[in-house]
């Protein structure tokens, strides 16, 4: 069964089209990731699917309900963890859970709070004000809070942005547990390739408001080819594609490197050196590896999904939060 069905969804801000007619389905019980650089339109799509924004055109059915015609039914069945922190920092973890649970009219609230705070390993900190929590603890509290009303589908917008690698891995464990233990459908957005690869059953790659590829990580990597060789040449004027039967694809990258697709890099390298010598091209540096999702993005767009450092992302989140107020 389908948990989410989206058809030709468009969202404009004034004249600017942030989401340009995307279509996709998410199956019940799967982890589906929207992977793309900042500004690709991921958050806008999540806001439409969670009824916070009205689409300009197109259709979206979430948990069996139309987001425009039946927003209240949709909201009852979904949980959301936003990119911007939304817990009350002056209240304790327990108080945050209690208020949210009462707003939603959650039954057996106390038992549920205890179970969920234990699930995210915050039970021993339940009486501490959230302002004393680390970023990772706050995010865990947000996840616990979003699960209080037992949603069918959980939306996570950049769930590990700005967190250190260990905390990120920890959050991934909770996300996997939600899928495995509760058969929950999880829709997440991320600009971290490893996050999409580690967690998602299927991935949609988004860029400039469009879905440019969709599939499992393995299927997406097949778009690139088998192995990839990157060459750095001595002079920029030497930048041209080398031609030989063992080279399946060749692309000149904006950063001045050449990317070659080959079946087997180990066998191709000696032949490549010969070919370079014959063609009078001086190779300065060679790297090769099996394709990653970054290569897929590079292959499709000619650019890399840049991973801004933690601090830059936190600064961006603060700016965005201010803009939304
Ligand atoms: N309220 C708004 N008004 C005008 N333009 C907006 C608004 N919100 C977002 N945009 C623009 O729409 C585009 C998509 O933004 P969106 O936040 O959906 O991207 P994203 O992929 O989620 O990136 P991020 O990870 O930075 O949130 C961007 O160009 C952004 O500047």
């Amino acid at each position: 069964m389908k948990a989410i069905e989206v058809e030709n969804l468009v969202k404009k801000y004034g004249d600017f089209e942030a989401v340009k007619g995307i279509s996709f389905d998410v199956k019940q019980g799967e982890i589906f990731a929207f992977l793309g650089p900042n500004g690709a339109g991921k958050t806008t799509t999540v806001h439409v699917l969670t009824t916070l924004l009205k689409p300009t055109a197109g259709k979206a059915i979430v948990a069996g309900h139309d987001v425009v015609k039946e927003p209240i039914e949709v909201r009852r069945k979904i949980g959301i963890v936003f990119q911007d922190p939304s817990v009350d920092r002056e209240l304790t973890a327990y108080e945050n859970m209690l208020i949210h649970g009462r707003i939603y009219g959650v039954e057996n609230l106390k038992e549920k709070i205890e179970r969920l705070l234990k699930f995210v390993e915050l039970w021993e900190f339940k009486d501490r004000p959230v302002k004393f929590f680390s970023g990772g603890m706050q995010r865990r509290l947000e996840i616990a809070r979003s699960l209080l009303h037992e949603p069918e589908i959980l939306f996570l917008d950049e769930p590990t942005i700005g967190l250190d690698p260990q905390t990120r891995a920890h959050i991934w464990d909770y996300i996997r547990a939600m899928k495995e233990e509760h058969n929950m459908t999880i829709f997440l957005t991320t600009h971290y390739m490893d996050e999409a690869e580690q967690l998602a059953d299927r991935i949609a790659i988004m860029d400039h408001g469009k879905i440019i590829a969709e599939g499992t990580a393995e299927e997406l990597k097949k778009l690139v080819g088998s192995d990839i060789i990157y060459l750095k040449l001595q002079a920029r004027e030497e930048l041209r594609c080398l031609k030989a039967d063992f080279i399946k694809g060749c692309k000149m990258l904006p950063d001045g490197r050449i990317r070659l697709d080959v079946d087997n890099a180990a066998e191709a390298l000696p032949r490549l050196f010969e070919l370079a010598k014959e063609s009078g091209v001086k190779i300065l540096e060679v790297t090769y590896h099996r394709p990653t999702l970054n290569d897929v993005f590079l292959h499709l767009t000619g650019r890399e999904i840049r991973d801004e450092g933690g601090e830059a992302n936190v600064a961006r989140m603060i700016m965005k939060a201010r803009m939304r107020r």
Side-chain angles (χ1 to χ4, degrees), residues 148-168:
L148 260 180
H149 61 291
E150 298 176 339
E152 284 176 27
I153 307 173
L154 183 64
F155 289 87
L156 299 162
D157 193 8
E158 296 274 6
T160 66
I161 197 165
L163 301 180
D164 63 82
Q166 206 183 345
T167 312
R168 293 179 63 214

Side-chain angles (χ1 to χ4, degrees), residues 107-159:
E107 287 172 12
N108 305 321
L109 184 56
K110 290 193 173 155
E111 288 97 295
K112 281 184 188 151
I113 293 176
E114 182 172 345
R115 183 167 52 77
L116 286 168
L117 286 180
K118 283 182 175 164
F119 170 62
V120 296
E121 296 165 274
L122 286 177
W123 183 242
E124 59 179 303
F125 306 105
K126 68 180 185 336
D127 296 322
R128 199 176 285 187
V130 172
K131 63 182 169 196
F132 299 119
F133 279 15
S134 67
M137 287 165 85
Q138 280 191 39
R139 205 65 54 84
R140 274 147 60 194
L141 177 61
E142 304 228 8
I143 291 176
R145 197 184 58 170
S146 72
L147 298 174
L148 260 180
H149 61 291
E150 298 176 339
E152 284 176 27
I153 307 173
L154 183 64
F155 289 87
L156 299 162
D157 193 8
E158 296 274 6

Side-chain angles (χ1 to χ4, degrees), residues 13 16 18 37-44 83 158 316 320:
Y13 296 109
F16 176 69
N38 297 328
K42 306 181 299 293
T43 299
T44 301
Q83 213 177 96
E158 296 274 6
R316 195 171 54 82
K320 280 179 74 167

Side-chain angles (χ1 to χ4, degrees), residues 242-244 246-247 270-280:
L242 299 169
K243 289 198 177 67
F246 68 94
I247 298 173
R271 298 170 74 184
L272 192 63
F273 284 121
E274 264 173 44
L275 187 67
K277 206 171 162 189
E278 283 165 19
S279 324

